[in-house]
């Protein structure tokens, strides 16, 4: 959003503070929960509008499928890893990143969902509340 000089619809510092509260396994206030939910909605919109269209979209879907096929027990700590750490862990090689995609993928609905029924009591709850949907395009 900063690159496009857009004002976020949530308080960035408060969203970071909410994560710190979760990391201490303390209860979140409604405002802290709101900021995290808004952050996730903005993140989802960014992915859906900028990253899920064009060549990158097909690469990301293939990469996610590959990671899931190689790593059956994905936990919240895996979401904290950089791409290279995850690639090294599952045995990916750099030449996988050099392939070009010829066809553009069709537009599809959002790959993200916020499960507001999942309470956030600790940092480990993030991957259950903020879901990346799997399924057909």
């Amino acid at each position: 959003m900063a690159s496009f000089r857009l004002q976020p619809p949530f308080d960035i510092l408060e969203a970071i503070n909410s994560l710190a509260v979760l990391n201490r396994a303390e209860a979140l206030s409604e405002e802290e929960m709101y900021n995290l939910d808004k952050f996730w909605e903005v993140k989802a919109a960014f992915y859906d509008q900028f990253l899920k269209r064009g060549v990158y979209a097909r690469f990301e879907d293939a990469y996610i499928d590959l990671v899931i096929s190689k790593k059956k027990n994905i936990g919240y700590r895996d979401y904290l890893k950089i791409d290279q750490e995850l690639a090294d862990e599952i045995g990916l090689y750099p030449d996988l990143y050099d392939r070009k995609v010829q066809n553009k993928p069709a537009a599809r609905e959002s790959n993200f969902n916020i499960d507001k029924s999942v309470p956030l009591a600790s940092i480990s709850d993030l991957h259950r509340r903020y879901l990346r949907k799997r399924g057909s395009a």
Side-chain angles (χ1 to χ4, degrees):
M1 294 187 75
S3 296
F4 293 100
R5 299 194 182 355
L6 299 173
Q7 182 67 33
F10 60 92
D11 186 317
I12 294 169
L13 295 178
E14 285 302 318
I16 293 169
N17 182 59
S18 297
L19 290 173
V21 169
L22 281 177
N23 197 41
R24 293 189 306 264
E26 297 175 8
L28 291 176
S29 69
E30 280 188 39
E31 183 66 21
E32 290 167 330
M33 187 85 67
Y34 171 85
N35 275 307
L36 281 182
D37 288 347
K38 281 297 177 189
F39 164 79
W40 195 261
E41 288 171 3
V42 168
K43 178 182 176 179
F46 177 80
Y47 272 87
D48 291 339
Q49 296 303 315
F50 295 101
L51 300 180
K52 298 307 289 179
R53 309 282 186 256
V55 174
Y56 184 83
R58 185 159 295 186
F59 172 80
E60 176 158 346
D61 286 343
Y63 182 77
I64 291 168
D65 291 340
L66 180 62
V67 169
I68 290 171
S69 74
K70 300 240 181 217
K71 185 170 178 60
K72 301 295 184 203
N73 189 14
I74 297 174
Y76 82 95
R77 291 184 192 274
D78 292 309
Y79 289 90
L80 303 176
K81 295 176 182 169
I82 62 172
D83 287 342
Q84 190 61 54
E85 288 174 316
L86 197 53
D88 290 344
E89 183 179 326
I90 65 173
L92 294 181
Y93 299 101
D95 63 333
L96 289 176
Y97 294 94
D98 294 334
R99 305 197 192 283
K100 291 188 178 180
V101 176
Q102 299 298 323
N103 300 324
K104 291 177 99 175
R108 55 195 179 132
E109 72 178 70
S110 176
N111 276 352
F112 294 91
N113 187 38
I114 299 175
D115 184 352
K116 292 186 178 180
S117 69
V118 174
L120 289 175
S122 74
I123 203 84
S124 64
D125 295 329
L126 290 174
H127 76 285
R128 288 191 298 275
R129 184 175 177 96
Y130 306 121
L131 305 170
R132 173 171 273 173
K133 293 188 259 182
R134 301 300 302 156
S136 59

